[in-house]
């Protein structure tokens, strides 16, 4: 009898172990499925953390929550191939940053939060121009129409000359990726109220009519045709700044590379103008100094540049430092 009981106990123990193993396997399958279908949220501290989220979202899944079709109407001033880019900064800037973004994309928000101040600083100095390409990747991955409608609204803001301001507002107020809040025109119009002079009847009509929807969809097709890995895709003069995930181009490195490119081309028009003024000032200061005047005139621009560069470096270090280490919520998903 004891042997029978022992055998029964062993059988029960084996069954219990198998059941536990099966349960654990099922739990693992559930976790794997969740990782494939939902976002894996991660806090991005500094720019190195951002490199782990860039390019993870699959680029060729699904279709956007499309519009009813219609003519392709590019926003005012659109540029590039097929007029699919909205350009900010000065057209004569030496360096070009090409950005493919989705207003619902958490990794895009992380990029904007970390790099925004540096990009705006370089644009203001006339050193950098940015070509923004708006896409609808998340609509395809998560369903909905927020990517499409937000991009259309941003294009409407471009028509009104308010693209940069509204672009920044959309990312600063980005809802959770699974929340298709931007699929509601009312939300997009509400946020337009944060940009002075944007909420006009013309802007409202553009948003509500989906004037640029087909243009946005054409941009999405160009994104797929380009075989980019995901959003954001960021290229500095054609080179992906996150290609080397172990050593990405941080905001400070971006600033150094852009400034270096400008110096290599002889500086910006503003720099050259400042040099000429410095030459004139030095000449007027000692008009009878003969050869000494020429030496002094040559020294002045150099000293002026050193001082201005020092000031710019201090300013950008504070700016890029705070933006790079600021709080931002990167995420990625399949």
């Amino acid at each position: 009898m004891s042997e029978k009981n022992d055998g029964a106990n062993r059988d029960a123990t084996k069954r219990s172990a198998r059941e536990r193993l099966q349960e654990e396997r099922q739990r693992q399958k559930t976790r794997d499925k969740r990782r494939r279908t939902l976002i894996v949220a991660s806090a991005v501290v500094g720019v190195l953390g951002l490199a782990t989220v860039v390019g993870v979202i699959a680029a060729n899944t699904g279709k956007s929550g499309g519009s009813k079709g219609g003519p392709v109407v590019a926003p005012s001033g659109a540029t590039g191939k097929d007029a699919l880019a909205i350009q900010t900064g000065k057209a004569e800037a030496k360096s070009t940053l090409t950005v493919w973004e989705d207003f619902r994309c958490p990794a895009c928000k992380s990029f904007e939060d970390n790099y925004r101040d540096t990009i705006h600083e370089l644009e203001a100095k006339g050193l950098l121009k940015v070509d923004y390409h708006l896409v609808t990747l998340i609509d395809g991955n998560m369903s909905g129409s927020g990517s499409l409608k937000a991009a259309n609204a941003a294009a409407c803001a471009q028509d009104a000359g308010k693209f940069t301001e509204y672009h920044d507002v959309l990312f600063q107020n980005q809802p959770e990726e699974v929340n298709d809040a931007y699929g509601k025109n009312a939300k997009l119009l509400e946020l337009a109220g944060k940009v002075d002079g944007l909420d006009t009847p013309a802007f409202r009509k553009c948003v509500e009519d989906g004037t640029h929807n087909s243009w946005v969809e054409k941009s999405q097709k160009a994104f797929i045709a380009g075989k980019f890995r995901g959003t954001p895709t960021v290229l500095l003069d054609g080179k992906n700044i996150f290609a080397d995930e172990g050593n990405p181009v941080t905001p400070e490195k971006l600033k150094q590379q852009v400034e270096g490119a400008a110096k290599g081309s002889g500086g910006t028009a503003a720099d050259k103008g400042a040099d000429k003024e410095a030459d004139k000032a030095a000449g007027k200061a000692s008009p009878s100094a003969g050869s000494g005047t020429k030496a002094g005139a040559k020294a002045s621009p150099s000293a002026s540049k050193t001082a201005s560069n020092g000031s710019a470096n201090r300013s950008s270090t504070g700016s890029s430092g705070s933006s790079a280490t600021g709080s931002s919520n990167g995420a990625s998903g399949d």
Side-chain angles (χ1 to χ4, degrees):
M1 178 68 70
S2 176
E3 291 178 357
K4 290 183 178 179
N5 288 338
D6 289 342
N9 288 337
R10 283 195 296 272
D11 289 340
T13 300
K14 290 179 180 179
R15 284 196 301 273
S16 177
R18 284 197 299 270
E19 290 169 356
R20 288 197 299 272
L21 181 58
Q22 289 173 348
E23 290 173 355
E24 178 58 27
R25 286 176 176 172
Q26 185 59 42
R27 284 195 293 270
Q28 185 61 43
K29 287 181 180 179
T30 301
R31 286 194 293 268
D32 290 342
K33 183 177 181 180
R34 185 178 299 115
R35 278 196 295 268
R36 288 194 300 270
T37 57
L38 300 178
I39 61 172
V40 181
S42 60
V44 178
V45 180
V47 183
L48 294 180
L50 177 62
T52 64
V53 274
V54 173
V56 177
I57 304 173
N60 297 323
T61 57
K63 297 180 180 179
S64 66
S67 67
K68 297 180 181 179
V72 175
V73 180
S76 175
T79 188
K81 183 179 179 181
D82 295 330
L84 292 177
I86 293 177
Q87 188 173 98
T88 62
K90 296 180 180 179
E92 64 272 19
K94 176 67 174 178
S95 297
T96 302
L97 197 68
T98 302
V99 182
W100 295 81
E101 287 185 320
D102 184 324
F103 287 110
R104 287 182 68 187
C105 164
C108 297
K109 174 176 171 57
S110 295
F111 168 74
E112 287 295 333
D113 288 347
N114 281 284
Y115 289 76
R116 181 183 297 115
D117 291 345
T118 300
I119 289 173
H120 288 339
E121 177 188 346
L122 293 171
E123 287 179 323
K125 290 180 177 179
L127 304 179
L128 179 71
K129 58 180 177 289
V130 185
D131 287 342
Y132 288 100
H133 295 263
L134 310 179
V135 300
T136 60
L137 181 60
I138 305 303
D139 283 356
N141 289 344
M142 305 298 295
S143 78
S145 60
S147 300
L148 173 66
K149 290 188 175 182
N152 171 68
C156 295
Q158 168 68 9
D159 290 338
K162 303 284 184 178
F163 172 79
T164 297
E165 298 92 327
Y166 191 59
H167 165 275
D168 291 353
V169 164
L170 287 175
F171 277 117
Q172 289 164 348
N173 292 272
Q174 184 189 77
E176 293 294 324
E177 185 182 18
V178 294
N179 178 3
D180 192 29
Y182 284 172
K184 298 178 177 61
N185 288 333
K187 181 63 176 178
L188 298 169
L189 294 173
E190 173 192 329
L191 292 177
K194 295 179 177 290
V195 178
D196 290 342
L198 178 58
D199 189 5
T200 63
F203 174 78
R204 284 178 168 264
K205 178 174 174 53
C206 183
V207 170
E208 292 168 351
D209 289 352
T211 299
H212 302 297
N213 281 357
S214 293
W215 175 81
V216 175
E217 290 172 340
K218 188 172 182 179
S219 180
Q220 170 66 16
K221 290 178 182 177
F223 175 77
I224 294 174
K227 298 181 179 179
F228 298 113
R229 290 179 58 193
T231 55
T233 291
V234 186
L235 313 173
L236 177 60
D237 295 325
K239 183 178 180 180
N240 191 330
I241 70 171
F242 298 117
D244 182 355
E245 295 186 359
N247 185 33
V249 177
T250 64
E252 183 59 27
K253 288 179 182 177
L254 175 65
K255 179 178 181 296
Q256 291 171 356
Q257 290 183 17
V258 170
E259 289 183 336
K263 290 177 181 178
S265 66
T268 64
D271 289 336
K272 293 175 182 178
D275 290 347
K276 290 180 180 179
E277 290 301 318
D279 286 341
K280 291 179 181 179
K284 291 178 180 179
S286 52
S288 61
S291 61
T293 301
K294 294 180 181 180
K298 291 179 180 178
S300 269
S302 175
S304 174
K305 279 187 177 180
T306 301
S308 63
N309 286 341
S311 174
N313 286 336
R314 288 194 296 274
S315 173
S316 66
T317 299
S319 171
S320 63
S322 63
S323 65
T325 58
S327 173
S328 56
N329 60 334
S332 62
D334 290 348

